[in-house]
Amino acid sequence: MRRYGIWLAAATVSLLGTQVLGFAMAWVAAGRGGAFAGLVLTAINLPRVLLLLAGGAVADRVGAWRVMIVADVVMTAVMLAVAGAAVAWGEQPWLLVGAALAVGLVDAFYLPSSGSLPRLLVSGPGLARALSARHLAGQLVAAAGPPVGAVVVAAAGIAAAALGNAVTFALMALVLVGLRRSLPDLGRPASAAPAQAGGFWQQAVDGLRTAGRDRVLRPALLLTAAAAASLLPVSGLLVPLLARQRHWPAAAGGAVVGAVALGTAVVASIVLARGAARRPGAAAITGLLIAAGAVAALAVAPGVAVAIGAGLVVGVGAGLFSAHIAPLVLGAAPATHLARIQAVLVLVQSVPLLVTTNVLGGLADAGSVSVVLLVCASALGLAATVTAVRSDLPTAAGAADGSGGTVPTAGAGDGSGGAVPAGAEGGAGGGGAGQAAVGGRGGA
């Protein structure tokens, strides 16, 4: 656990840089309209969707540790390039889109590896609490990240945010190298994937087959997809657009996004101290219903103060969902498929997000952001209700302590920034800029 704590501390610092850049990118993109904001999120999610399965297979073949070290080094270079370009040419649309594409490409390989890491460092009953500690750290940073990002973007622009993020990526790479030297086995593959039958691409899609055959993993992943489609865009896209439509300052938008993360952190701290619910599936469904009601309240909030309160409750619902779905999925993954199941987990969030960010951004441009939020609230409520009635998820139990068993990470966003439905704190993409809901870099 000491080495896990070292990794988590470094990941938390790295996540702060990611959250600051994520909000900066989201705010600048929102200033060019909802359609362009959706395009930037698409530029992150498209390469992520296309290469996630390959990223999971690579991690299971060569080892998650190697993949993460290379990815952090690459992102250090990318962030330095973004900072230099922003200073030289300003915050141009092509720069935002180019940075988003690079982030999405690296995320496709980083997210499956990062999502599998807790189980490589912690086993047995400690896994659920380890994930809650990761989730709590990520969401506390996510609560601070958007307001800090608002200050940074107002004072110094994206260049400063990218430079700071480069420093945190470099720190993360150094910590990973040091931990790998102290634990040589972590540099080895976690599975016997190279010896399995079939070629590389057959192994890559095997995670889909494995998840699809499990009667609890299947509805858990489908519900996660619904959360990604209708909950992730709330913080990453719709709150900045709502703030601009109502002529609120950047600090107000950052405060609402931060409140979402704070609410998630409160739930994570409770799970860390007292453990997860005995019926994690039922708890996850309840969380989405709470989030649905709070998103509706956010849509009709008459002012900033009420919006911040609604955001806090959105975070509570999202946190209840993520704190129980994350160990459920990770604990059920076969040891030979850890990264590939994490890749599927991110994939089922990225594909819906790829569609809904463009659709919701366009709808927000054409009409009222409040109406779009009400649509998201209705979709969340419907998905949670159907899952409760038509699947075995409400009665799922046995793996919430991370010990495995027959039933089931982090999120970007990562945690994750923003509303992180199932444990991701954001990959390289950052919080508001489009992190996945589970299995993220920072540790939601």
Side-chain angles (χ1 to χ4, degrees), residues 342-395:
Q342 290 300 304
V344 174
L345 192 57
V346 179
L347 184 65
V348 299
Q349 298 163 79
S350 296
V351 171
L353 192 61
L354 184 63
V355 175
T356 58
T357 50
N358 290 281
V359 173
L360 297 177
L363 289 175
D365 274 350
S368 169
V369 180
S370 294
V371 172
V372 177
L373 284 167
L374 289 173
V375 170
C376 289
S378 300
L380 285 171
L382 179 62
T385 302
V386 170
T387 303
V389 174
R390 300 292 298 273
S391 78
D392 295 331
L393 196 61
T395 58

CSV table of all heavy atoms in Angstrom, one decimal, residues 342-395:
chain,number,residue,atom,x,y,z
A,342,GLN,N,-10.8,-2.9,-19.0
A,342,GLN,CA,-10.8,-1.4,-18.8
A,342,GLN,C,-10.9,-0.7,-20.1
A,342,GLN,O,-11.6,0.4,-20.2
A,342,GLN,CB,-9.5,-1.0,-18.1
A,342,GLN,CG,-9.4,-1.5,-16.7
A,342,GLN,CD,-10.5,-0.9,-15.8
A,342,GLN,OE1,-10.6,0.3,-15.7
A,342,GLN,NE2,-11.2,-1.8,-15.1
A,343,ALA,N,-10.4,-1.2,-21.2
A,343,ALA,CA,-10.6,-0.6,-22.5
A,343,ALA,C,-12.0,-0.6,-22.9
A,343,ALA,O,-12.5,0.4,-23.4
A,343,ALA,CB,-9.7,-1.3,-23.5
A,344,VAL,N,-12.7,-1.7,-22.7
A,344,VAL,CA,-14.1,-1.8,-23.0
A,344,VAL,C,-14.9,-0.8,-22.1
A,344,VAL,O,-15.8,-0.1,-22.6
A,344,VAL,CB,-14.7,-3.2,-22.7
A,344,VAL,CG1,-16.2,-3.3,-22.9
A,344,VAL,CG2,-14.0,-4.2,-23.7
A,345,LEU,N,-14.5,-0.7,-20.9
A,345,LEU,CA,-15.2,0.3,-19.9
A,345,LEU,C,-15.1,1.7,-20.4
A,345,LEU,O,-16.0,2.5,-20.4
A,345,LEU,CB,-14.5,0.1,-18.6
A,345,LEU,CG,-15.2,0.8,-17.4
A,345,LEU,CD1,-16.6,0.3,-17.2
A,345,LEU,CD2,-14.4,0.5,-16.1
A,346,VAL,N,-13.9,2.1,-20.9
A,346,VAL,CA,-13.7,3.4,-21.5
A,346,VAL,C,-14.4,3.5,-22.8
A,346,VAL,O,-15.0,4.6,-23.2
A,346,VAL,CB,-12.2,3.7,-21.6
A,346,VAL,CG1,-12.0,5.1,-22.2
A,346,VAL,CG2,-11.5,3.6,-20.3
A,347,LEU,N,-14.4,2.4,-23.6
A,347,LEU,CA,-15.0,2.5,-24.9
A,347,LEU,C,-16.5,2.7,-24.8
A,347,LEU,O,-17.1,3.5,-25.6
A,347,LEU,CB,-14.8,1.1,-25.7
A,347,LEU,CG,-15.3,1.0,-27.1
A,347,LEU,CD1,-14.5,2.0,-28.0
A,347,LEU,CD2,-15.1,-0.4,-27.6
A,348,VAL,N,-17.2,2.1,-23.9
A,348,VAL,CA,-18.7,2.2,-23.8
A,348,VAL,C,-19.0,3.6,-23.3
A,348,VAL,O,-20.2,4.0,-23.3
A,348,VAL,CB,-19.3,1.1,-22.9
A,348,VAL,CG1,-19.0,-0.3,-23.4
A,348,VAL,CG2,-18.8,1.3,-21.5
A,349,GLN,N,-18.1,4.3,-22.8
A,349,GLN,CA,-18.3,5.7,-22.5
A,349,GLN,C,-18.0,6.7,-23.6
A,349,GLN,O,-18.6,7.7,-23.9
A,349,GLN,CB,-17.5,6.1,-21.2
A,349,GLN,CG,-17.9,5.3,-20.0
A,349,GLN,CD,-16.9,5.4,-18.9
A,349,GLN,OE1,-16.8,6.4,-18.2
A,349,GLN,NE2,-16.1,4.4,-18.8
A,350,SER,N,-16.9,6.4,-24.3
A,350,SER,CA,-16.4,7.3,-25.3
A,350,SER,C,-17.3,7.3,-26.6
A,350,SER,O,-17.5,8.4,-27.2
A,350,SER,CB,-14.9,6.9,-25.8
A,350,SER,OG,-14.0,7.0,-24.7
A,351,VAL,N,-17.8,6.2,-26.9
A,351,VAL,CA,-18.7,6.1,-28.1
A,351,VAL,C,-19.9,7.0,-27.9
A,351,VAL,O,-20.3,7.8,-28.8
A,351,VAL,CB,-19.0,4.7,-28.5
A,351,VAL,CG1,-20.1,4.6,-29.6
A,351,VAL,CG2,-17.8,3.9,-29.0
A,352,PRO,N,-20.7,6.8,-26.8
A,352,PRO,CA,-21.8,7.7,-26.6
A,352,PRO,C,-21.5,9.1,-26.5
A,352,PRO,O,-22.2,10.0,-27.0
A,352,PRO,CB,-22.5,7.1,-25.3
A,352,PRO,CG,-22.0,5.7,-25.2
A,352,PRO,CD,-20.6,5.7,-25.8
A,353,LEU,N,-20.3,9.4,-25.8
A,353,LEU,CA,-19.9,10.8,-25.6
A,353,LEU,C,-19.5,11.4,-27.0
A,353,LEU,O,-19.8,12.6,-27.2
A,353,LEU,CB,-18.7,10.8,-24.7
A,353,LEU,CG,-18.2,12.1,-24.2
A,353,LEU,CD1,-19.3,12.8,-23.3
A,353,LEU,CD2,-17.0,12.0,-23.3
A,354,LEU,N,-19.0,10.6,-27.9
A,354,LEU,CA,-18.6,11.1,-29.2
A,354,LEU,C,-19.8,11.6,-29.9
A,354,LEU,O,-19.8,12.6,-30.7
A,354,LEU,CB,-17.9,9.9,-30.0
A,354,LEU,CG,-17.4,10.3,-31.4
A,354,LEU,CD1,-16.3,11.3,-31.3
A,354,LEU,CD2,-16.9,9.0,-32.0
A,355,VAL,N,-21.0,10.9,-29.7
A,355,VAL,CA,-22.2,11.3,-30.4
A,355,VAL,C,-22.9,12.4,-29.7
A,355,VAL,O,-23.3,13.4,-30.3
A,355,VAL,CB,-23.1,10.1,-30.5
A,355,VAL,CG1,-24.5,10.5,-31.1
A,355,VAL,CG2,-22.5,9.0,-31.4
A,356,THR,N,-23.1,12.3,-28.4
A,356,THR,CA,-23.9,13.3,-27.7
A,356,THR,C,-23.2,14.6,-27.6
A,356,THR,O,-24.0,15.6,-27.5
A,356,THR,CB,-24.2,12.7,-26.3
A,356,THR,OG1,-23.0,12.5,-25.5
A,356,THR,CG2,-25.1,11.5,-26.3
A,357,THR,N,-21.9,14.7,-27.5
A,357,THR,CA,-21.3,16.1,-27.4
A,357,THR,C,-21.6,16.9,-28.6
A,357,THR,O,-21.9,18.1,-28.5
A,357,THR,CB,-19.8,15.9,-27.2
A,357,THR,OG1,-19.2,15.1,-28.2
A,357,THR,CG2,-19.4,15.4,-25.8
A,358,ASN,N,-21.6,16.3,-29.8
A,358,ASN,CA,-21.9,17.1,-31.0
A,358,ASN,C,-23.4,17.4,-31.1
A,358,ASN,O,-23.8,18.5,-31.4
A,358,ASN,CB,-21.5,16.3,-32.2
A,358,ASN,CG,-20.0,16.2,-32.3
A,358,ASN,OD1,-19.3,17.1,-32.8
A,358,ASN,ND2,-19.4,15.0,-31.9
A,359,VAL,N,-24.2,16.4,-30.7
A,359,VAL,CA,-25.7,16.6,-30.8
A,359,VAL,C,-26.1,17.7,-29.8
A,359,VAL,O,-26.8,18.6,-30.1
A,359,VAL,CB,-26.4,15.3,-30.6
A,359,VAL,CG1,-27.9,15.5,-30.4
A,359,VAL,CG2,-26.2,14.3,-31.7
A,360,LEU,N,-25.6,17.5,-28.5
A,360,LEU,CA,-26.0,18.4,-27.5
A,360,LEU,C,-25.5,19.8,-27.7
A,360,LEU,O,-26.1,20.8,-27.4
A,360,LEU,CB,-25.6,17.9,-26.1
A,360,LEU,CG,-26.2,16.6,-25.7
A,360,LEU,CD1,-25.6,16.1,-24.3
A,360,LEU,CD2,-27.7,16.7,-25.6
A,361,GLY,N,-24.2,19.9,-28.2
A,361,GLY,CA,-23.7,21.2,-28.5
A,361,GLY,C,-24.4,21.9,-29.6
A,361,GLY,O,-24.7,23.1,-29.5
A,362,GLY,N,-24.9,21.2,-30.6
A,362,GLY,CA,-25.7,21.8,-31.7
A,362,GLY,C,-27.0,22.2,-31.2
A,362,GLY,O,-27.5,23.3,-31.6
A,363,LEU,N,-27.7,21.4,-30.4
A,363,LEU,CA,-29.0,21.7,-29.8
A,363,LEU,C,-28.9,23.0,-28.9
A,363,LEU,O,-29.8,23.8,-28.9
A,363,LEU,CB,-29.5,20.6,-29.0
A,363,LEU,CG,-30.0,19.4,-29.8
A,363,LEU,CD1,-30.4,18.2,-28.9
A,363,LEU,CD2,-31.2,19.7,-30.8
A,364,ALA,N,-27.8,23.1,-28.1
A,364,ALA,CA,-27.6,24.2,-27.3
A,364,ALA,C,-27.4,25.5,-28.1
A,364,ALA,O,-27.9,26.6,-27.7
A,364,ALA,CB,-26.4,24.0,-26.4
A,365,ASP,N,-26.7,25.4,-29.2
A,365,ASP,CA,-26.6,26.6,-30.1
A,365,ASP,C,-27.9,27.0,-30.7
A,365,ASP,O,-28.2,28.2,-30.9
A,365,ASP,CB,-25.6,26.2,-31.2
A,365,ASP,CG,-24.1,26.5,-30.8
A,365,ASP,OD1,-23.9,27.1,-29.7
A,365,ASP,OD2,-23.2,26.1,-31.6
A,366,ALA,N,-28.7,26.0,-31.0
A,366,ALA,CA,-30.0,26.3,-31.7
A,366,ALA,C,-31.1,26.8,-30.7
A,366,ALA,O,-32.1,27.4,-31.2
A,366,ALA,CB,-30.5,25.0,-32.4
A,367,GLY,N,-31.0,26.5,-29.5
A,367,GLY,CA,-32.0,26.9,-28.6
A,367,GLY,C,-31.5,27.1,-27.2
A,367,GLY,O,-30.5,27.8,-27.0
A,368,SER,N,-32.2,26.5,-26.2
A,368,SER,CA,-31.9,26.8,-24.8
A,368,SER,C,-31.0,25.7,-24.2
A,368,SER,O,-31.4,24.5,-24.3
A,368,SER,CB,-33.2,26.9,-24.0
A,368,SER,OG,-32.9,26.9,-22.6
A,369,VAL,N,-30.0,26.0,-23.5
A,369,VAL,CA,-29.2,25.0,-22.8
A,369,VAL,C,-30.0,24.4,-21.7
A,369,VAL,O,-29.8,23.2,-21.4
A,369,VAL,CB,-27.9,25.7,-22.2
A,369,VAL,CG1,-27.0,24.7,-21.5
A,369,VAL,CG2,-27.1,26.4,-23.3
A,370,SER,N,-30.9,25.1,-21.1
A,370,SER,CA,-31.7,24.5,-20.0
A,370,SER,C,-32.6,23.3,-20.6
A,370,SER,O,-32.7,22.3,-19.9
A,370,SER,CB,-32.7,25.6,-19.4
A,370,SER,OG,-31.9,26.6,-18.8
A,371,VAL,N,-33.1,23.5,-21.8
A,371,VAL,CA,-33.9,22.4,-22.4
A,371,VAL,C,-33.0,21.2,-22.6
A,371,VAL,O,-33.4,20.1,-22.4
A,371,VAL,CB,-34.5,22.9,-23.7
A,371,VAL,CG1,-35.2,21.7,-24.4
A,371,VAL,CG2,-35.6,24.0,-23.4
A,372,VAL,N,-31.8,21.4,-23.1
A,372,VAL,CA,-30.9,20.3,-23.3
A,372,VAL,C,-30.5,19.6,-22.0
A,372,VAL,O,-30.5,18.4,-22.0
A,372,VAL,CB,-29.6,20.8,-24.0
A,372,VAL,CG1,-28.6,19.7,-24.1
A,372,VAL,CG2,-29.9,21.5,-25.3
A,373,LEU,N,-30.4,20.3,-20.9
A,373,LEU,CA,-30.1,19.7,-19.6
A,373,LEU,C,-31.3,18.9,-19.2
A,373,LEU,O,-31.2,17.8,-18.6
A,373,LEU,CB,-29.8,20.8,-18.6
A,373,LEU,CG,-28.4,21.4,-18.6
A,373,LEU,CD1,-28.4,22.7,-17.8
A,373,LEU,CD2,-27.4,20.4,-18.2
A,374,LEU,N,-32.5,19.3,-19.4
A,374,LEU,CA,-33.7,18.6,-19.1
A,374,LEU,C,-33.8,17.3,-19.9
A,374,LEU,O,-34.2,16.2,-19.4
A,374,LEU,CB,-35.0,19.4,-19.3
A,374,LEU,CG,-35.2,20.6,-18.3
A,374,LEU,CD1,-36.4,21.4,-18.8
A,374,LEU,CD2,-35.4,20.0,-16.9
A,375,VAL,N,-33.4,17.3,-21.1
A,375,VAL,CA,-33.3,16.1,-22.0
A,375,VAL,C,-32.3,15.1,-21.3
A,375,VAL,O,-32.6,13.9,-21.3
A,375,VAL,CB,-32.9,16.4,-23.4
A,375,VAL,CG1,-32.6,15.2,-24.2
A,375,VAL,CG2,-34.0,17.2,-24.1
A,376,CYS,N,-31.2,15.6,-20.9
A,376,CYS,CA,-30.2,14.7,-20.3
A,376,CYS,C,-30.7,14.1,-19.0
A,376,CYS,O,-30.5,12.9,-18.7
A,376,CYS,CB,-28.9,15.5,-20.0
A,376,CYS,SG,-27.9,16.0,-21.4
A,377,ALA,N,-31.4,14.9,-18.2
A,377,ALA,CA,-32.0,14.4,-17.0
A,377,ALA,C,-33.0,13.3,-17.2
A,377,ALA,O,-33.0,12.3,-16.6
A,377,ALA,CB,-32.7,15.5,-16.2
A,378,SER,N,-33.8,13.5,-18.3
A,378,SER,CA,-34.8,12.5,-18.6
A,378,SER,C,-34.2,11.2,-19.1
A,378,SER,O,-34.6,10.1,-18.7
A,378,SER,CB,-35.8,13.0,-19.7
A,378,SER,OG,-36.4,14.2,-19.3
A,379,ALA,N,-33.1,11.3,-19.9
A,379,ALA,CA,-32.4,10.1,-20.4
A,379,ALA,C,-31.8,9.3,-19.3
A,379,ALA,O,-31.8,8.1,-19.2
A,379,ALA,CB,-31.4,10.5,-21.4
A,380,LEU,N,-31.2,10.0,-18.3
A,380,LEU,CA,-30.6,9.4,-17.1
A,380,LEU,C,-31.6,8.6,-16.3
A,380,LEU,O,-31.4,7.4,-15.9
A,380,LEU,CB,-29.9,10.4,-16.3
A,380,LEU,CG,-28.5,10.9,-16.8
A,380,LEU,CD1,-28.1,12.1,-15.9
A,380,LEU,CD2,-27.5,9.8,-16.8
A,381,GLY,N,-32.7,9.3,-16.0
A,381,GLY,CA,-33.8,8.6,-15.3
A,381,GLY,C,-34.4,7.4,-16.0
A,381,GLY,O,-34.6,6.4,-15.3
A,382,LEU,N,-34.6,7.5,-17.3
A,382,LEU,CA,-35.1,6.4,-18.0
A,382,LEU,C,-34.1,5.2,-18.0
A,382,LEU,O,-34.5,4.0,-17.8
A,382,LEU,CB,-35.4,6.8,-19.5
A,382,LEU,CG,-35.9,5.7,-20.4
A,382,LEU,CD1,-37.3,5.2,-19.9
A,382,LEU,CD2,-36.1,6.3,-21.8
A,383,ALA,N,-32.8,5.5,-18.2
A,383,ALA,CA,-31.8,4.4,-18.3
A,383,ALA,C,-31.7,3.7,-16.9
A,383,ALA,O,-31.7,2.4,-16.9
A,383,ALA,CB,-30.5,5.0,-18.7
A,384,ALA,N,-31.8,4.5,-15.8
A,384,ALA,CA,-31.7,3.8,-14.5
A,384,ALA,C,-32.9,3.0,-14.2
A,384,ALA,O,-32.8,1.9,-13.6
A,384,ALA,CB,-31.5,4.9,-13.5
A,385,THR,N,-34.1,3.5,-14.6
A,385,THR,CA,-35.3,2.8,-14.3
A,385,THR,C,-35.4,1.5,-15.1
A,385,THR,O,-35.7,0.4,-14.6
A,385,THR,CB,-36.5,3.6,-14.7
A,385,THR,OG1,-36.5,4.9,-13.9
A,385,THR,CG2,-37.8,2.9,-14.4
A,386,VAL,N,-35.0,1.5,-16.4
A,386,VAL,CA,-35.1,0.3,-17.2
A,386,VAL,C,-34.1,-0.7,-16.7
A,386,VAL,O,-34.4,-1.9,-16.6
A,386,VAL,CB,-34.7,0.6,-18.7
A,386,VAL,CG1,-34.5,-0.6,-19.5
A,386,VAL,CG2,-35.9,1.5,-19.3
A,387,THR,N,-32.9,-0.3,-16.3
A,387,THR,CA,-31.9,-1.2,-15.7
A,387,THR,C,-32.4,-1.9,-14.5
A,387,THR,O,-32.2,-3.1,-14.2
A,387,THR,CB,-30.5,-0.5,-15.5
A,387,THR,OG1,-30.1,0.1,-16.7
A,387,THR,CG2,-29.5,-1.5,-15.0
A,388,ALA,N,-33.0,-1.1,-13.6
A,388,ALA,CA,-33.5,-1.6,-12.3
A,388,ALA,C,-34.6,-2.7,-12.6
A,388,ALA,O,-34.7,-3.7,-11.8
A,388,ALA,CB,-34.1,-0.5,-11.5
A,389,VAL,N,-35.4,-2.5,-13.6
A,389,VAL,CA,-36.5,-3.4,-13.9
A,389,VAL,C,-36.1,-4.6,-14.7
A,389,VAL,O,-36.6,-5.7,-14.5
A,389,VAL,CB,-37.7,-2.6,-14.5
A,389,VAL,CG1,-38.8,-3.6,-14.9
A,389,VAL,CG2,-38.2,-1.6,-13.6
A,390,ARG,N,-35.2,-4.4,-15.7
A,390,ARG,CA,-35.0,-5.5,-16.7
A,390,ARG,C,-33.7,-6.2,-16.6
A,390,ARG,O,-33.3,-7.0,-17.5
A,390,ARG,CB,-35.1,-4.8,-18.1
A,390,ARG,CG,-36.4,-4.1,-18.4
A,390,ARG,CD,-37.5,-5.1,-18.5
A,390,ARG,NE,-37.3,-6.1,-19.6
A,390,ARG,CZ,-37.6,-5.8,-20.9
A,390,ARG,NH1,-38.2,-4.7,-21.2
A,390,ARG,NH2,-37.3,-6.7,-21.8
A,391,SER,N,-32.9,-6.0,-15.5
A,391,SER,CA,-31.6,-6.7,-15.4
A,391,SER,C,-31.3,-7.2,-14.0
A,391,SER,O,-32.1,-7.0,-13.1
A,391,SER,CB,-30.5,-5.7,-15.8
A,391,SER,OG,-30.2,-4.8,-14.7
A,392,ASP,N,-30.2,-8.0,-13.9
A,392,ASP,CA,-29.8,-8.5,-12.6
A,392,ASP,C,-29.0,-7.6,-11.8
A,392,ASP,O,-28.5,-7.9,-10.7
A,392,ASP,CB,-29.0,-9.8,-12.8
A,392,ASP,CG,-29.9,-10.9,-13.4
A,392,ASP,OD1,-31.1,-10.9,-13.2
A,392,ASP,OD2,-29.3,-11.8,-14.1
A,393,LEU,N,-28.7,-6.4,-12.3
A,393,LEU,CA,-27.8,-5.5,-11.7
A,393,LEU,C,-28.2,-5.1,-10.3
A,393,LEU,O,-27.4,-5.0,-9.3
A,393,LEU,CB,-27.6,-4.2,-12.5
A,393,LEU,CG,-26.4,-3.4,-12.2
A,393,LEU,CD1,-25.1,-4.1,-12.3
A,393,LEU,CD2,-26.3,-2.1,-13.0
A,394,PRO,N,-29.5,-4.8,-10.0
A,394,PRO,CA,-29.9,-4.4,-8.7
A,394,PRO,C,-29.6,-5.4,-7.6
A,394,PRO,O,-29.4,-5.0,-6.4
A,394,PRO,CB,-31.4,-4.2,-8.8
A,394,PRO,CG,-31.7,-3.9,-10.2
A,394,PRO,CD,-30.7,-4.8,-10.9
A,395,THR,N,-29.5,-6.7,-7.9
A,395,THR,CA,-29.2,-7.7,-6.9
A,395,THR,C,-27.8,-8.2,-6.9
A,395,THR,O,-27.4,-9.1,-6.2
A,395,THR,CB,-30.1,-8.9,-7.1
A,395,THR,OG1,-29.9,-9.5,-8.5
A,395,THR,CG2,-31.6,-8.6,-7.0
